[in-house]
Amino acid sequence: MQKCTLAVDIGASSGRVIAGFLKDGKLILEEVHRFKNEMKQGESHLYWDVDLLFKEIVSGIKKCNTLKFLPQSIGIDTWAVDFVLLDKNKQRITDAVAYRDNRTDGMMEEVLRHIKKEELYERTGIQYQKFNTIYQLYSMKLHEKKVLDEAKYFLMIPDYLHYRLSGILVNEYTNATSTQLVKADERQWDEELITRLDLNPSMFLPITEPCVTIGRLTESLKKELGFDMEVIAPGTHDTASAVVSVPAEDSIYISSGTWSLMGVENDQAINSEEALLYNFTNEGGVGGNFRFLKNIMGLWMIQEVKRVLNDSHSHEELVELAKGATIPSIVNVNDDRFLSPKNMIEEIQVYCKETNQVIPETPGELAKVIFDSLVKSYHETINQIERLSNKKYESINIIGGGSQNAYINQKLADVSQKDVYTGPIEATAIGNLVAQFMAKGSISTKQEAKSMIQQSFEIKHYKSKAL
């Protein structure tokens, strides 16, 4: 049996269990199990089937026996903001309602009746998005108060899955910051803010830093699996894990997937009025820093176009079709209308009609409009980052699955006149594994990890044709 470390990385459309091995100074990955994830429509809301996700995690662990792998530890990362509540018996009493559900409509305005926008940003450093946890909880306060009053424990999605593995309740730091309820300067829950919103501060657990062992498997799981292992908190926010794997020390990064998370790493939060104006966020990072970034809609739009088309075009084929299209139209990818439309194609077409632009009709035209619009948003964000940081950056590093989009990569290099580096593709799983290796002492520092990543994975380079 070969010893390994398991990273569980779950996104909005799929999850994977990946085994990691350190060998001769390199990190080797092997996919053990892949499974689907999707929002489901319940009677009154969209939700994630977290119990099914846990079953898939266990299935992935069991597959290690077939592969003759012996896991020594496991850590889980997922998307941010969504959560479940447990009662006094530690039983789940809510669905994991999905952030795209409309229950947060109007909730930002309700919260800002109790606290000024500038003060909330100064306290938390977190950008305003209608689906943030703070607005989800406030919706429950107004419409599901009985359930909220019954709740004794607040767990974000990876916290809950770690609880199912270990029986230990924790709130991990990187994901907790996405709630807009953590004090940026103290890295702990803002109890005064929580109380002012008439929420129960006691249901929030003391915040646990990443790279920390939570516990070991429950007795029932040990018996079911036939072995034991550590449960370790990585950066449970998937972007926090992904950013760990950015090879360059001093580069603008884009973690590209369903969302595009674009920013830089800072030692201090930038929560100025100008940062608020540009709607930047200061989310917790692995290693005590802040991920100063902006959420951009990302490849969600092209994923939805593919779904509506219901055809066999691969992402790679759409990239090639975009290269051959000539349509000049641009949409605002961060417009809320694209967050969860019934038909993404129609929404894009209506936007172009309303703004007196050429209406895209073919798959290639739709793809070009989306990709060009993303590049425009990226370029605007670069300018804002450099202005707010008072610093010029020479390069951009795109990580994650979206780093394989050669059209966007080259166009961004041309527009920004910066070097664009792409990879690693499995950035989130790599960062998850690195955090576990750091917790166990196999890797000493993030700098050591970045050097190892550069040696272990292919990094592509796109030079600006304008230079």
Side-chain angles (χ1 to χ4, degrees), residues 243-399:
V243 170
V244 172
S245 68
V246 174
E249 280 285 351
D250 197 22
S251 175
I252 294 174
Y253 61 78
I254 304 175
S255 180
S256 179
T258 300
W259 288 90
S260 290
L261 296 309
M262 185 171 187
V264 292
E265 293 184 275
N266 291 327
D267 292 331
Q268 301 291 328
I270 301 177
N271 50 0
S272 63
E273 289 186 11
E274 193 171 18
L276 168 61
L277 177 65
Y278 290 137
N279 206 20
F280 273 80
T281 199
N282 295 270
E283 294 173 344
V286 175
N289 60 12
F290 291 91
R291 291 175 288 116
F292 182 65
L293 61 87
K294 178 177 282 192
N295 285 343
I296 299 168
M297 191 68 77
L299 297 176
W300 158 256
M301 293 178 69
I302 197 67
Q303 291 165 359
E304 278 295 284
V305 165
K306 279 172 57 60
R307 183 186 66 79
V308 173
L309 287 173
N310 195 27
D311 65 10
S312 57
H313 282 116
S314 68
H315 188 83
E316 292 74 16
E317 288 170 338
L318 287 172
V319 169
E320 289 304 311
L321 289 172
K323 290 179 181 178
T326 58
I327 187 169
S329 302
I330 296 289
V331 301
N332 176 9
V333 293
N334 297 310
D335 193 310
D336 280 350
R337 69 196 296 165
F338 300 123
L339 186 62
S340 188
K342 291 181 179 179
N343 186 308
M344 184 65 78
I345 293 175
E346 291 180 0
E347 202 67 48
I348 292 170
Q349 292 172 333
V350 168
Y351 182 100
C352 290
K353 183 178 181 180
E354 290 174 354
T355 53
N356 299 314
Q357 299 185 83
V358 179
I359 297 172
E361 300 289 351
T362 67
E365 288 176 340
L366 287 160
K368 185 175 188 296
V369 168
I370 291 170
F371 298 157
D372 287 353
S373 301
L374 281 172
V375 170
K376 183 175 187 294
S377 183
Y378 294 161
H379 190 221
E380 290 171 350
T381 303
I382 290 167
N383 293 334
Q384 292 166 2
I385 288 171
E386 292 185 332
R387 176 182 174 88
L388 293 167
S389 303
N390 194 27
K391 180 177 179 178
K392 200 79 172 174
Y393 290 87
E394 300 300 323
S395 64
I396 303 161
N397 205 132
I398 306 178
I399 55 177

Side-chain angles (χ1 to χ4, degrees), residues 114-125 128 190 192-193 196 276:
H114 299 272
I115 181 169
K116 290 183 178 179
K117 189 172 187 178
E118 293 78 11
E119 181 188 356
L120 181 56
Y121 188 72
E122 184 179 357
R123 296 176 80 106
T124 67
Y128 287 88
D190 190 332
E192 180 188 336
L193 171 61
R196 281 167 65 178
L276 168 61

Side-chain angles (χ1 to χ4, degrees), residues 84-276:
V84 297
L85 300 177
L86 310 186
D87 64 14
K88 63 182 179 180
N89 298 314
K90 300 180 181 177
Q91 298 299 307
R92 183 165 62 84
I93 56 173
T94 64
D95 282 335
V97 178
Y99 60 85
R100 294 188 191 274
D101 187 80
N102 63 9
R103 70 173 175 171
T104 55
D105 290 353
M107 289 302 107
M108 186 185 298
E109 293 77 10
E110 290 295 327
V111 166
L112 294 179
R113 293 175 187 270
H114 299 272
I115 181 169
K116 290 183 178 179
K117 189 172 187 178
E118 293 78 11
E119 181 188 356
L120 181 56
Y121 188 72
E122 184 179 357
R123 296 176 80 106
T124 67
I126 299 300
Q127 75 180 119
Y128 287 88
Q129 296 188 110
K130 63 176 287 188
F131 50 71
N132 285 354
T133 314
I134 187 174
Y135 311 120
Q136 295 193 44
L137 285 168
Y138 204 78
S139 175
M140 292 190 70
K141 175 188 175 298
L142 296 184
H143 304 296
E144 301 175 80
K145 192 172 188 304
K146 185 176 179 182
V147 177
L148 194 59
D149 288 344
E150 188 183 348
K152 298 300 179 186
Y153 303 100
F154 166 91
L155 296 177
M156 304 196 80
I157 303 302
D159 296 336
Y160 176 69
L161 297 172
H162 281 142
Y163 165 64
R164 293 288 302 273
L165 286 173
S166 67
I168 306 296
L169 299 164
V170 301
N171 290 151
E172 185 273 332
Y173 170 65
T174 65
N175 219 345
T177 60
S178 74
T179 63
Q180 209 171 6
L181 291 167
V182 172
K183 292 194 75 172
D185 56 350
E186 297 181 8
R187 301 164 64 88
Q188 292 296 330
W189 297 111
D190 190 332
E191 292 194 8
E192 180 188 336
L193 171 61
I194 292 167
T195 302
R196 281 167 65 178
L197 296 176
D198 197 23
L199 301 172
N200 178 12
S202 69
M203 70 179 178
F204 299 93
L205 299 155
I207 288 178
T208 297
E209 292 288 334
C211 307
V212 169
T213 298
I214 296 171
R216 302 189 74 85
L217 296 181
T218 63
E219 290 299 323
S220 60
L221 267 178
K222 280 191 282 188
K223 185 176 180 180
E224 181 179 350
L225 297 170
F227 61 86
D228 192 12
M229 61 176 161
E230 288 183 273
V231 179
I232 297 176
T236 63
H237 187 328
D238 51 9
T239 311
S241 279
V243 170
V244 172
S245 68
V246 174
E249 280 285 351
D250 197 22
S251 175
I252 294 174
Y253 61 78
I254 304 175
S255 180
S256 179
T258 300
W259 288 90
S260 290
L261 296 309
M262 185 171 187
V264 292
E265 293 184 275
N266 291 327
D267 292 331
Q268 301 291 328
I270 301 177
N271 50 0
S272 63
E273 289 186 11
E274 193 171 18
L276 168 61

